Amino acid sequence: MATDRAADGDRTPLVGRAAELERLEGLLDGSTRADHGPAVVDLTGDAGIGKSRLVHELCVRAERRGSTVLRGRATEYERHIPFQPFTDAFTDLDPVALATFPAAAEVAPVLGATPRLADRFSLHRATAALLAHVGASPTVLVLDDMHWADAASLELLDHLVRHPVRAPVLLVVARRARQTPAPLAAALARGADTGAVRRIELGPLRERESVEGLAPDLPRTEAAELFAASEGNPLYLLTLLHAHREGAPLSRLSTTGLGALLLDELTPLTPAQLRVTEVVAALGAHATASMLGPVTGREDAELADDLAALVRRDLLRTGPDGRLALRHPVLRSLVHESIAPWLRTRIHGLAAAELTRVGAPVAERAHHAERSLSGWDPSTAAVLIEAAEQAVHTAPASCAHWLDVVLRHLPHTLEHAPRRQTLTLTRARALGACGQLRESRDLLHTLIALPDRTGAARHGSDTADGFDTADGSGVRTAAVVLCAVMERHLGRYSEAVALLRRELHRSPGPSPADAVALGLELGSSAPHDTSYPTVRADVARTLSTARDLGDEAGEACALAVAALGEAYEGDMAAAGGYAHQAGALVDSLPDDDLTGLCEPLARLGWAEAFLERFADAERHADRGLAIARRSGQLYLLPHLLLCKAHIRIQVCRLPSAVELSEEAEDIARGIGSEELLAFVLGTKAHALIAACPPGDPRPLAMAEAAVAAAGLGGNWWASIAWCMLGYAALVGGDPDRARDALLHAGGPGLHGLQPSMRPLFLEILVTAAVATGDHDAADAWAERARKEAEQLDLPIQRASALRSAAHIPLGQGDPNAAAELFAGAAAESARSGATFWEAYSLLLGAPVLATAPTDPRRGAAAWHRGQRLAAAGGAQMLTGLAELIQPEVTRAAEAPGRGLATLTAREREVAELVAQGLTSPAIAERLSLSHRTVETHLSRVYRKTGVSSRAALATLLTRRPDARFPPP
């Protein structure tokens, strides 16, 4: 569907916008540079102020330069057709460019084709990839009147603002500021703050430019009077000028509003011409000559005469694709609202019938079907339900809207009760998917309160779309489970638990299958906010019930819940057993049986990640992601993506970890859960800390955003956010803030820190204490880290405890002991494949190893391996550390050789005899020296070479034979 471009004002001279046009041309130039300049232009102004006219001129000039121009427009009365302005713009795509785009099927919804079953966030990324593909040559994408855009378009635009296309693409967004939806205004404001968006605000025209440009034929006093009445609005001024030239006196025009003047233009029309104008206003983007005939019931020849007359009056304009539109959206709005309601209903009904006849997309038919409803009509409802079904994954707000229309007209009779319940459940799910969590929860509570006339629930019914379940089977249990999910997303864990326990204990009790579904959701409240021990017995009962039923999927779910619960609590033996059973069962089941297991797959992946079984964890997370995307379970995607991101951080694949966390952030923001967003931003901060060079402000800013999203919460996700703030502060050089953040996260006794990762968090406290000179605190935290790591018996946690312990001998002047602890930490990290922590341990230990007397070459070797691992994994934090310590390592490694060169002849003799294994008395006898003199020479040798023992001196001389007898 393409919106007509005839109303773009191309017949009107461009007056008084030279400065704004110059800025736009500058941005157009910038978009072709290597850095592409600002990616988005935010063009704002009141209705009629000239936004569309200015954009038209920009498009003309861009085309003259050889740029590709794609132009779309949102419209006032089609706000629930998904991706309408993008679909409109992409009708201008070169078919060759589209044919050569490898992921064309992925962007079907924005191209106006029947959408494939995919999540909308994948669609956003695919659309950005399409723009990058098209933008191989300079491209301008204009989206006009975006204050009227549908929710799916606004979400896609938000993605493009936050993730600018890496190609010479200039995105121009034109809108009325005062009518702009809050999400769009916020997205553009954030972009302006980051420099990705350049705002241009159009104000009133100046009098001289307006009069000279638009009314050169009028006496100056008359033109000035009309300008004053227009208040500098060019549409208003042009309408006043038109009325004046038609004979309206100045005295009336100076007090007549724009709306009245525009409607006055309709007065001379014949009834037939007026009817055509009304039909065009109602049809909107479907106003074509071929559509007008069936809707008006008139012959083409009759219509042609009226259309010609309306075009001559400049009431209608014809676009290059043959579509008709009223001269300006303001005029369309006035005409549309003046149509008698019964006539509007009839026009839309005829339009829906004609679109059905020609096979138009269901979303376009649904728009007219909705507006034709005046009572219950099953055939019209079927169109709306079909449109909702197609939009459920890519445009859930439109899905929820169309189902609401059906439900408002569906009779409240016993016959329709099952369908009402099913459609209500589906609508609640769609509301939750598009971020309307409270509305979804309230609707679900209403549904739960209805009398239960349904049969036993099917396991996994909470993940079905519900469009094919007309008998309402399983709706109540699915509603309770989904309501608990909404409560969790809202941070209301106690309410979720209470709801589930009440349902489990209601009379008559739930069926065994229902009990499994409810018990699994109850177990899922841990460890986010509920302590796992408080639901351990419930999970055990759920596991037993599932096994009794022979429900392998339910059994796998319960095992995964138990595995994560025990892993979080630090009982790694129990967690490992549950994870092994769950993994074996999941691996034996086909994907079709796992549709309801996406959340358990996420839990299993996290449990395996905490157990440091990274390959298994990523394999199960990948499988969960594939199933969740196919089945539209979007709220589970962040958990699966973050599991992968966590793994990629450990194994030092930092660019992909950042990308995964950014995708999870997109989805979390779309869902609208602050709880989930806090966890996402905390994980993203962790990835950025490792991925960014020292001094980069982004990790700390991201960690602060995570803490802000967590609010006053004290759950797992809030704790992680505060820990990441501490980590970022420590890396950023603020140990005091790091200590305070960790103490806040842990609370009394630090019991709020995740037990299975507590040694890593304690390491932050140890490092902060050492940096602030609080050695007693460092000793205490390091000792606790050792005990915690021994209990967990995990390589990464042991490595962390070893690094913490290394600070103690280092502060006591025992570099040898510290060097061995750092080396041990690197070895432990390598055992689990935790390349990031291996590199970190090597680089921390390199300067100490380089000064160790036994083999200073170990320091250089540790530095080289650590730097190589860090560079390969994109860990700029560690490559920055490597660059910082390189001179120290080099000096330390070279120091012994330089010391040998400074020895006197007698000192060299003593050193050589020490290397041969002679004792001090034997050396004294050999050289005819006193024992005291030999010891004096030996102490000087130690000081000059930097070694502290006979063995180290012997090793040095053996390793560097070329330095044993340096020239004098």
Side-chain angles (χ1 to χ4, degrees), residues 69-225:
V69 174
L70 308 174
R71 187 169 184 186
R73 182 194 292 272
T75 49
E76 183 175 7
Y77 299 103
E78 291 81 14
R79 299 190 195 190
H80 299 292
I81 299 179
F83 305 108
Q84 182 208 356
F86 286 94
T87 303
D88 187 15
F90 288 141
T91 58
D92 293 333
L93 271 177
D94 182 351
V96 175
L98 186 58
T100 56
F101 179 55
E106 301 286 339
V107 295
V110 300
L111 298 177
T114 300
R116 56 179 293 171
L117 189 62
D119 71 89
R120 64 193 196 269
F121 302 102
S122 295
L123 174 62
H124 298 166
R125 294 191 301 277
T127 304
L130 174 60
L131 286 171
H133 174 72
V134 174
S137 60
T139 300
V140 177
L141 171 61
V142 174
L143 300 173
D144 206 352
D145 287 335
M146 286 299 283
H147 50 279
W148 284 326
D150 61 279
S153 293
L154 293 178
E155 200 171 49
L156 174 53
L157 178 57
D158 177 78
H159 177 88
L160 295 175
V161 171
R162 287 188 293 110
H163 305 287
V165 177
R166 298 183 182 278
V169 176
L170 184 65
L171 173 58
V172 181
V173 179
R175 63 188 177 94
R176 301 177 193 171
R178 285 179 289 187
Q179 294 176 248
T180 299
L184 175 57
L188 293 170
R190 285 195 304 269
D193 290 341
T194 63
V197 174
R198 186 70 56 83
R199 177 166 294 172
I200 297 177
E201 184 174 357
L202 297 187
L205 295 175
R206 290 189 289 269
E207 178 179 340
R208 180 176 178 179
E209 294 171 326
S210 300
V211 170
E212 292 179 355
L214 300 177
D217 57 323
L218 291 184
R220 185 59 183 258
T221 56
E222 292 182 9
E225 189 173 347

Side-chain angles (χ1 to χ4, degrees), residues 684-728:
K684 185 176 180 180
H686 189 185
L688 287 173
I689 291 168
C692 292
D696 193 311
R698 288 177 294 168
L700 184 59
M702 189 58 58
E704 289 172 336
V707 167
L712 300 177
N715 56 28
W716 176 24
W717 296 349
S719 176
I720 291 293
W722 279 97
C723 287
M724 290 307 108
L725 178 62
Y727 189 16

Side-chain angles (χ1 to χ4, degrees), residues 245-415:
R245 287 167 180 146
E246 291 291 318
L250 286 174
S251 58
R252 186 177 77 84
L253 293 178
S254 61
T255 59
T256 304
L258 175 61
L261 287 171
L262 289 171
L263 288 175
D264 280 347
E265 292 189 44
L266 306 179
T267 303
L269 301 183
T270 67
Q273 291 170 348
L274 179 60
R275 180 58 51 83
V276 170
T277 305
E278 291 173 335
V279 170
V280 169
L283 290 180
H286 295 118
T288 62
S290 61
M291 180 67 80
L292 287 178
V295 174
T296 62
R298 299 174 63 194
E299 296 296 328
D300 291 347
E302 295 179 287
L303 282 171
D305 291 339
D306 287 338
L307 289 174
L310 293 170
V311 169
R312 283 196 301 272
R313 288 181 174 275
D314 198 23
L315 285 169
L316 292 187
R317 292 180 178 175
T318 305
D321 51 7
R323 297 181 184 271
L324 299 161
L326 289 159
R327 185 175 72 241
H328 194 278
V330 173
L331 180 59
R332 183 200 176 189
S333 179
L334 290 167
V335 173
H336 189 278
E337 294 306 312
S338 69
I339 304 172
W342 66 268
L343 179 58
R344 270 204 306 267
T345 299
R346 183 171 181 274
I347 291 171
H348 286 295
L350 292 168
E354 180 63 15
L355 289 172
T356 299
R357 188 187 69 81
V358 300
V362 68
E364 298 181 29
R365 290 186 279 129
H367 164 68
H368 293 288
E370 171 193 345
R371 292 179 173 271
S372 70
L373 267 178
S374 57
W376 174 243
D377 177 28
S379 61
T380 301
V383 173
L384 295 172
I385 291 173
E386 182 185 355
E389 183 176 14
Q390 283 196 3
V392 66
H393 297 310
T394 55
S398 294
C399 170
H401 169 76
W402 283 321
L403 291 179
D404 182 49
V405 173
V406 174
L407 287 166
R408 281 191 278 109
H409 290 86
L410 185 66
H412 287 270
T413 63
L414 187 61
E415 173 192 359

Side-chain angles (χ1 to χ4, degrees), residues 457-463 513-514 516-517 520 551 553-555 557 593 596-597:
R458 296 171 299 168
H459 175 71
S461 62
D462 57 311
T463 63
D514 285 347
V516 170
L520 289 173
D551 180 2
E555 180 183 354
C557 287
D593 290 350
L597 291 185

Side-chain angles (χ1 to χ4, degrees), residues 542-578:
T542 302
L543 176 59
S544 177
T545 302
R547 284 172 169 166
D548 290 343
L549 289 172
D551 180 2
E552 290 185 314
E555 180 183 354
C557 287
L559 288 168
V561 170
L564 179 58
E566 300 295 0
Y568 176 88
E569 296 294 335
D571 188 345
M572 293 308 176
Y578 286 128

Side-chain angles (χ1 to χ4, degrees), residues 40-41 72 120 233-234 437 483 515 564 610 629 786 840 926 942:
V40 182
V41 176
R120 64 193 196 269
N233 185 297
L437 302 177
C483 189
L564 179 58
F610 293 151
R629 292 190 196 281
R786 182 189 66 78
Y840 184 51
R926 170 83 61 95
Y942 288 162

